[in-house]
């Protein structure tokens, strides 16, 4: 390993450390992530020929720029998807679209609410994606839970349940979509064999967290006000809900039909919803329209949490640098050698690593390293590929920045890295390990593999 590679890794680790102690330094994690991004790629520029064979002589700057733009394009699809989903969910929420969903979940019992939130998040994240589901559930939680400490516990469970729900569905997580598109897992195979481990990885943490919740919920005056209906009619609010949530469900269908990236589908849904709400508000009386201005898309776009978007940009581009210098691929190969091909251990470690760095390049590296075989653990729906789907998805719950769901909840609810590490990490780890054990039991005693 060259000194330049070591320097890039050190820069990433230092930046990661300062993100972890944000509550101590009071420096916004987005600022640190942007610095990580710039420093890593600046160091890379010292001698890019080490990593890119074409980066020699006068074309060096051009080749590196093309590499950065390639990664930036991939990152931008995530950012646009995030911005579109956040705007859609906020629009549906502000216009009362989630009222009847909220009413279905509503209960004064803290423990009952926890279980309702857990199972609804789990199911929704298998249909939508864990990022969109997390945004939806946090918006609903804000209407149901006024106490910040309690809401942080519920929000942590949303992260765990969203990642677990996405792991057993071929469209529930970016990594399962990648594996499904590659043909190493089938929809029927991953659902039938990963559903129970995913459920275990959600139910166990939910039970542990439920022990810390006692008493009944109370509502503040601000919350009570937010329960009031908007100026729109009941049918109009339901229309907005079904267009918004139904549109989000339609995104993976749109992708499968057109083969366009998911962010294109999310922008299509946003465009349709934007148009419909503008038509609804155009028909209001002048007095009502003045009060409704803040509920229109143009105003909501100005309230997007840009610090979360920039944090995503910084962390994903910093990880892209690690991918380009080959660290992630080398790490995967090293694990395979160190554990003598024990795929339970290899994928288990990969899952732990996915809570530290982005699981997408990790899974992409694994798909590049390991060829599909006719039989055995590496066959289609083999142990390795199914465990990879489970571990890469569920493993991200162990740290709050280990998944897209965690990052967006961190931004929306202002949860610190340190609080999650102290209170939630070990709980998520217990569920993660028990899920792997349940998968082993299923493969050994039920499916007979």
């Amino acid at each position: 390993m060259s000194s330049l590679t070591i320097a890039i890794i050190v820069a990433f680790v230092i930046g990661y450390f300062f993100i972890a102690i944000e509550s101590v330094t009071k420096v916004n994690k987005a600022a640190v992530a942007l610095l990580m991004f710039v420093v890593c790629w600046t160091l890379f520029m010292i001698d890019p020929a080490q990593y890119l064979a074409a980066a020699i002589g006068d074309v060096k700057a051009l080749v590196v720029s093309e590499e950065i733009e390639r990664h930036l394009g991939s990152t931008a699809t995530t950012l646009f998807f995030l911005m579109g989903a956040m705007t859609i969910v906020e629009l549906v929420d502000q216009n009362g679209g989630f009222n009847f969903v909220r009413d279905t979940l509503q209960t004064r019992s803290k423990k009952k609410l926890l279980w309702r939130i857990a199972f609804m998040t789990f199911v929704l994240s298998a249909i939508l994606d864990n990022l969109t589901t997390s945004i939806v559930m946090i918006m609903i939680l804000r209407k149901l839970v006024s106490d910040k400490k309690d809401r942080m516990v519920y929000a942590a469970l949303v992260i765990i349940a969203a990642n677990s729900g996405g792991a057993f569905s071929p469209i529930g997580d970016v990594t399962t979509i990648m594996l499904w598109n590659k043909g190493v897992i089938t929809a029927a195979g991953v659902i039938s064999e990963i559903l129970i481990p995913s459920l275990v990885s959600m139910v166990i943490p939910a039970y542990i967290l439920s022990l810390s919740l006692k008493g009944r919920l109370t509502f503040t005056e601000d919350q009570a006000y937010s329960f009031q209906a908007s100026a729109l009619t009941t049918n109009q609010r339901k229309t907005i809900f079904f267009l918004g949530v139904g549109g989000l469900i339609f995104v993976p269908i749109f992708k499968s039909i057109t083969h366009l990236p998911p962010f294109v589908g999310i922008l299509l849904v946003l465009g349709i919803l934007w148009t419909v709400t503008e038509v609804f508000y155009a028909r209001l009386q002048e007095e009502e329209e003045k009060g409704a201005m803040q509920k229109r898309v143009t105003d909501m776009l100005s309230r997007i949490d840009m610090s979360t978007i920039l944090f995503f940009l910084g962390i994903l581009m910093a990880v892209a640098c690690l991918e380009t210098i080959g660290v992630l691929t080398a790490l995967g190969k090293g694990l395979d050698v160190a554990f003598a091909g024990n795929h339970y251990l290899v994928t288990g470690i990969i899952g732990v690593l996915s809570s530290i760095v982005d699981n997408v390049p990790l899974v992409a590296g694994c798909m590049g390293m390991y060829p599909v075989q006719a039989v055995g653990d590496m066959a289609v729906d083999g142990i390795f590929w199914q465990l990879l789907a489970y571990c890469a998805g569920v493993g991200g719950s162990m740290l709050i920045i280990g998944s897209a769901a965690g990052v967006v909840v961190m931004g929306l609810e202002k949860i610190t890295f340190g609080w999650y590490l102290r209170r939630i990490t070990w709980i998520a780890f217990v569920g993660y390990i028990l899920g792997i054990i349940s998968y082993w039991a299923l493969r050994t005693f039920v499916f007979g593999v």
Side-chain angles (χ1 to χ4, degrees), residues 45-123:
M45 196 62 185
I46 293 174
D47 187 14
Q50 285 190 36
Y51 315 107
L52 302 173
I56 301 175
D58 296 336
V59 298
K60 178 176 71 174
L62 177 61
V63 170
V64 175
S65 293
E66 289 177 348
E67 182 70 11
I68 291 177
E69 288 170 6
R70 181 176 70 84
H71 287 296
L72 184 60
S74 177
T75 299
T77 62
T78 302
L79 299 183
F80 279 115
F81 186 94
L82 175 61
M83 287 189 287
M86 290 174 69
T87 306
I88 290 168
V89 173
E90 182 72 17
L91 182 63
V92 174
D93 177 57
Q94 288 295 319
N95 287 283
F98 288 127
N99 283 3
F100 62 94
V101 177
R102 181 207 63 218
D103 293 341
T104 301
L105 290 173
Q106 190 172 344
T107 173
R108 291 283 181 175
S109 170
K110 292 182 179 181
K111 289 189 177 182
K112 284 183 180 178
L113 177 62
L114 179 135
W115 287 108
R116 292 178 184 181
I117 290 291
F119 280 102
M120 177 161 283
T121 303
F122 184 84
V123 172

Side-chain angles (χ1 to χ4, degrees), residues 34 79 136 142 161 202 274 291 344 358 374 391 415 439:
L34 290 176
L79 299 183
V136 170
R142 287 179 175 178
M202 182 276 288
W274 194 339
Y344 283 93
D358 186 32
C391 293
I415 299 175
Y439 177 78

